[in-house]
Amino acid sequence: MPIRAVRGFKDVLPDEIELWHRVESIARGVFNAFGLKEIRIPLLEKTEVFARSIGELTDIVEKEMYTFIDRSGDSLTLRPEATAGLVRAVNEHKLFAQSPVLKLFTTGPMFRHERPQKGRLRQFHQINVEVMGTKAPFSDTEVIWMAWDILEKLGLKDLRLEINSLGCPACMPMYRDNLKEYLEGVFQHLCPDCQRRSKINPLRVFDCKNEACRKIMAKAPLNREYLCTECADHMEKVLAFLKTLDIPFVINPYLVRGLDYYVMTTFEIVSPDLGAQSTVAAGGRYDGLLKALGGPDLPGVGMAIGVDRLLLLLEKDKKGPSIDLFIAALGPKAGKEVIPWIKHWRRQGLAVQMSYEEKGLKAQMKQAGRVGACYVLIVGEDELDKKQVVVRDMMTRDQHEVPVDDVISAVERLVSA
Ligand code: ATP
Ligand code: MG
């Protein structure tokens, strides 16, 4: 049996990479326009970074983390999400000493031991944005705006932005008590996970994927009536900015997130074309997180785009790999003659290839077609004696002779035309 990749871990093949690049480049363009800086953090953190921040009773910490003891006896975890590690880095390097508001992005793989299915992998990829150091409602809107902008620029249609406010430490507890009471009444109908959650972290029951639990939660009391003036006002302002920006939204009072550190604004961007795993981007405000991880008591708001899910929505690029020039050198003398030319063109940034093996013209033309060459330069021994080479346009099939002395600039002219 040949060795296969680990279940839920996927190779990104050369044919698919174009799409990844397109997504990354559009995201970078948007981040540049919004004044974000990139940060790159390790894939591995001390387990406590996640246990302390995400919350002990979440799906992620309870059953999805890749945690192991390393050879020094430390408990380490492959990051299941980016925010906690990023906040750890911000604290560790005191980035706030340089600027009162940090606007950062990072991209890369996350790891969760979930059941692999369409749109759900064990190694998946996110584009993350974090804006820290401000409580301003406009920063919440800006984070949503960035996600919306990236998805729109990629041509995604029928997206739905769902938004909710979870309340804050001032108003959340009252609601939580009320919800607890409701859950006590329906306790025996909840799944075993939710029975536990209902006692310790009742909000989490809203996030259960179990159908029976969902039905029960559809009748649960909602936190809308419990929001304090500050939270209600904040939400109103975030929504008003969204309206100004023409970003449509629906208020979903059942929306909670899979991580404990969220307060106030929470949102998801959903695509109807994704089936069960329909959330392409998600995020919210996490004002207590920096402090929980030993940093300053500063607010923050962020989002993550699930790149693998997003890619399921994009048309595969039909265009294969393409290079500017393929060199069909015939015979050892020609093979040697062309090397300085290749060196020059590659320095200029042209994509140039030639065959590694000595082959006949027919075989080399076939290879040029396979690699998607725009032009082929045919360099035969006889032609070289006459100080001539042949350039063939693979699209029009036109070909003409070029003097050897002029070949460098002739090719450059053709390719840049
Ligand atoms: P879900 O409810 O789908 O499990 P989540 O609440 O666990 O999502 P977040 O932690 O908010 O997801 O992650 C943000 C985004 O990352 C998700 O909206 C999704 O697009 C993507 N994502 C999360 N888990 C996976 C996974 N296992 N495979 C692929 N993409 C994922
Ligand atoms: Mg999840």
Side-chain angles (χ1 to χ4, degrees), residues 58-211:
T58 55
D59 278 356
I60 295 181
V61 174
E62 272 191 329
K63 44 189 185 196
E64 295 176 356
M65 293 208 305
Y66 279 91
T67 297
F68 63 96
I69 307 291
D70 81 348
R71 288 169 194 275
S72 327
D74 296 320
S75 176
L76 302 179
T77 295
L78 278 172
R79 63 177 188 192
E81 56 97 48
T83 308
L86 207 136
V87 167
R88 193 268 314 138
V90 163
N91 286 341
E92 185 169 333
H93 302 285
K94 303 196 168 46
L95 295 189
F96 276 113
Q98 298 159 21
S99 156
V101 176
L102 296 173
K103 298 173 86 173
L104 302 171
F105 78 92
T106 196
T107 62
M110 309 295 153
F111 305 86
R112 295 184 195 173
H113 197 277
E114 303 192 67
R115 195 168 66 77
Q117 53 197 289
K118 188 176 168 221
R120 199 174 284 290
L121 295 158
R122 290 182 173 173
Q123 176 181 319
F124 61 98
H125 300 78
Q126 286 185 344
I127 295 173
N128 292 86
V129 166
E130 317 291 348
V131 176
M132 292 185 256
T134 174
K135 251 181 130 85
F138 188 60
S139 65
D140 303 48
T141 307
E142 245 189 356
V143 164
I144 298 169
W145 179 7
M146 279 185 253
W148 192 262
D149 222 21
I150 292 170
L151 300 177
E152 267 204 331
K153 283 208 160 91
L154 283 164
L156 298 198
K157 299 262 167 352
D158 304 325
L159 296 169
R160 193 172 71 243
L161 165 63
E162 297 189 358
I163 189 163
N164 190 22
S165 174
L166 296 178
C168 67
C171 55
M172 222 188 230
M174 226 194 349
Y175 170 61
R176 194 176 303 185
D177 288 345
N178 200 280
L179 187 61
K180 253 188 190 167
E181 217 169 277
Y182 170 77
L183 291 173
E184 266 166 34
V186 294
F187 187 79
Q188 69 271 33
H189 306 293
L190 295 170
C191 75
D193 274 346
C194 284
Q195 292 190 336
R196 253 175 334 116
R197 291 175 183 138
S198 72
K199 294 215 164 81
I200 309 162
N201 196 345
L203 271 170
R204 300 241 46 78
V205 182
F206 277 115
D207 209 24
C208 184
K209 309 263 186 304
N210 184 310
E211 206 40 54

